[in-house]
Amino acid sequence: MSEQSNLTLNLEKTADEIRQSVIKMLVEAKSGHVAGPLDMADVFTALYFHILNIDPENPLKADRDRVMLSNGHICPVWYATLAHRGFLPLSELSTLRKLGTRLQGHPHIYEPPGIDASAGPLGQGLSQAIGMALAYRMDGLNHARIYCLGSDAEIQEGQIWEAAMFAGNKRLNNLTWIIDRNNIQIDGFTENIMPIEPLRDKLEAFNWYVLEIDGHNFDEIIASCNHAKAIYERPTVIIAHTIAGKGVDFMEYKFEWHSKTFKPGEAEKALDELRTLQGKIASEHQ
């Protein structure tokens, strides 16, 4: 097996474990968002296990790459990724949304370590990421990058376009914006609720360098993030086309799973499907 194939296989297995953790967390919490965390597991895995310059032993090191999660409601995948990467104990994941937890329903800065910004109101994260990118430029941290992860439905908000215009004007080449283009929002499909297409054309008009990828293909995720590092004249946005609820057949493509509690037996079915990588390996229960 080639080195690249081995890397991809390891990342796929890690993403699958993160998806399982997300399901278990939401079952324990009895609430939370499902579809987004599952579909972004591959992007988070690629970032935290291959791309980012980070150190779980020194989460506040000055020249670290930083992640800003704009659609904070998908934070279960962020918490699960950080735990699997060593920023917090895996056992802590069961405290999601419970009284006194560090794992709130929306992320709070530095709780747990690895969370570099708070999030809540949609549409605000890109502005925060721009502030970080400007600060890094002022501090001369030219090799450190800011990654803003956000949803496609957020693009329906005016704040996003003000921020996008500002970043393009300032030519923030240390900023990479990854849009989860899963085509859903809480009340339906984006193109039925408030269409955002042609998205690529709009972003290019705001002076962004645009890449479009399969958000579940690790080779494409890694290559696009590396490509962004070679763009010097403007910020880069990666439109990651994803499948809502990825990895669980009865959830995929269904906007109803944006935020939904499990009925009896559904979580067990989802975990069984994830453990077998959608049938690619023998079930643990066989």
Side-chain angles (χ1 to χ4, degrees):
M1 181 179 292
S2 69
E3 183 177 344
Q4 184 63 32
S5 297
N6 191 54
L7 169 64
T8 299
L9 180 61
N10 287 337
L11 292 174
E12 286 178 350
K13 289 181 177 179
T14 299
D16 187 70
E17 292 170 356
I18 288 170
R19 287 187 172 98
Q20 291 180 52
S21 291
V22 167
I23 297 293
K24 294 173 183 177
M25 292 163 67
L26 295 173
V27 169
E28 183 70 25
K30 298 181 176 61
S31 65
H33 295 78
V34 187
L38 292 181
D39 78 54
M40 282 295 283
D42 298 318
V43 170
F44 271 90
T45 299
L47 285 171
Y48 279 89
F49 288 85
H50 188 73
I51 296 167
L52 295 178
N53 172 27
I54 52 173
D55 181 2
E57 299 299 320
N58 184 17
L60 296 178
K61 70 173 186 171
D63 64 343
R64 68 190 181 279
D65 291 337
R66 298 194 188 206
V67 172
M68 171 63 225
L69 179 61
S70 186
N71 53 330
H73 58 272
I74 74 163
C75 59
V77 70
W78 201 4
Y79 298 147
T81 303
L82 289 170
H84 282 271
R85 187 64 173 82
F87 282 84
L88 67 148
L90 284 167
S91 60
E92 190 175 349
L93 295 179
S94 64
T95 69
L96 176 71
R97 287 177 169 239
K98 295 183 178 179
L99 188 64
T101 184
R102 296 192 296 177
L103 311 184
Q104 300 182 40
H106 286 79
H108 186 268
I109 190 167
Y110 306 144
E111 293 186 0
I115 302 292
D116 273 325
S118 298
L122 290 171
Q124 307 299 308
L126 184 58
S127 296
Q128 293 184 64
I130 287 169
M132 295 177 187
L134 281 170
Y136 268 19
R137 175 186 285 181
M138 294 170 67
D139 290 342
L141 297 174
N142 298 320
H143 297 291
R145 297 192 66 81
I146 306 300
Y147 293 84
C148 178
L149 278 56
S151 68
D152 48 5
E154 286 184 286
I155 295 171
Q156 297 166 349
E157 302 200 21
Q159 172 68 20
I160 284 287
W161 294 104
E162 292 181 46
M165 182 167 55
F166 184 89
N169 178 55
K170 296 299 182 182
R171 303 181 183 276
L172 294 177
N173 60 1
N174 60 343
L175 173 62
T176 299
W177 177 19
I178 302 176
I179 299 173
D180 176 15
R181 187 67 172 112
N182 63 12
N183 297 286
I184 71 161
Q185 55 195 94
I186 195 167
D187 48 353
F189 295 98
T190 59
E191 301 312 290
N192 294 333
I193 304 301
M194 180 69 74
I196 61 176
E197 294 294 344
L199 182 54
R200 183 188 189 106
D201 293 344
K202 293 175 181 177
L203 294 167
E204 287 178 340
F206 279 67
N207 198 35
W208 285 72
Y209 188 85
V210 183
L211 297 168
E212 293 195 63
I213 65 168
D214 174 354
H216 304 302
N217 184 307
F218 283 104
D219 291 341
E220 292 189 23
I221 297 168
I222 293 168
S224 63
C225 288
N226 287 336
H227 190 161
K229 295 175 184 178
I231 305 303
Y232 291 96
E233 70 277 10
R234 48 186 163 161
T236 297
V237 56
I238 300 169
I239 302 172
H241 294 277
T242 63
I243 297 171
K246 175 67 175 178
V248 180
D249 183 68
F250 65 86
M251 294 183 189
E252 291 187 348
Y253 302 102
K254 295 180 173 63
F255 71 84
E256 292 86 356
W257 281 100
H258 178 277
S259 178
K260 184 178 179 181
T261 55
F262 293 99
K263 295 179 181 178
E266 287 182 331
E268 291 78 6
K269 182 179 179 182
L271 286 170
D272 187 64
E273 190 171 347
L274 288 168
R275 290 188 186 106
T276 65
L277 288 175
Q278 293 187 298
K280 292 180 182 178
I281 59 176
S283 171
E284 293 178 355
H285 304 297
Q286 294 178 347

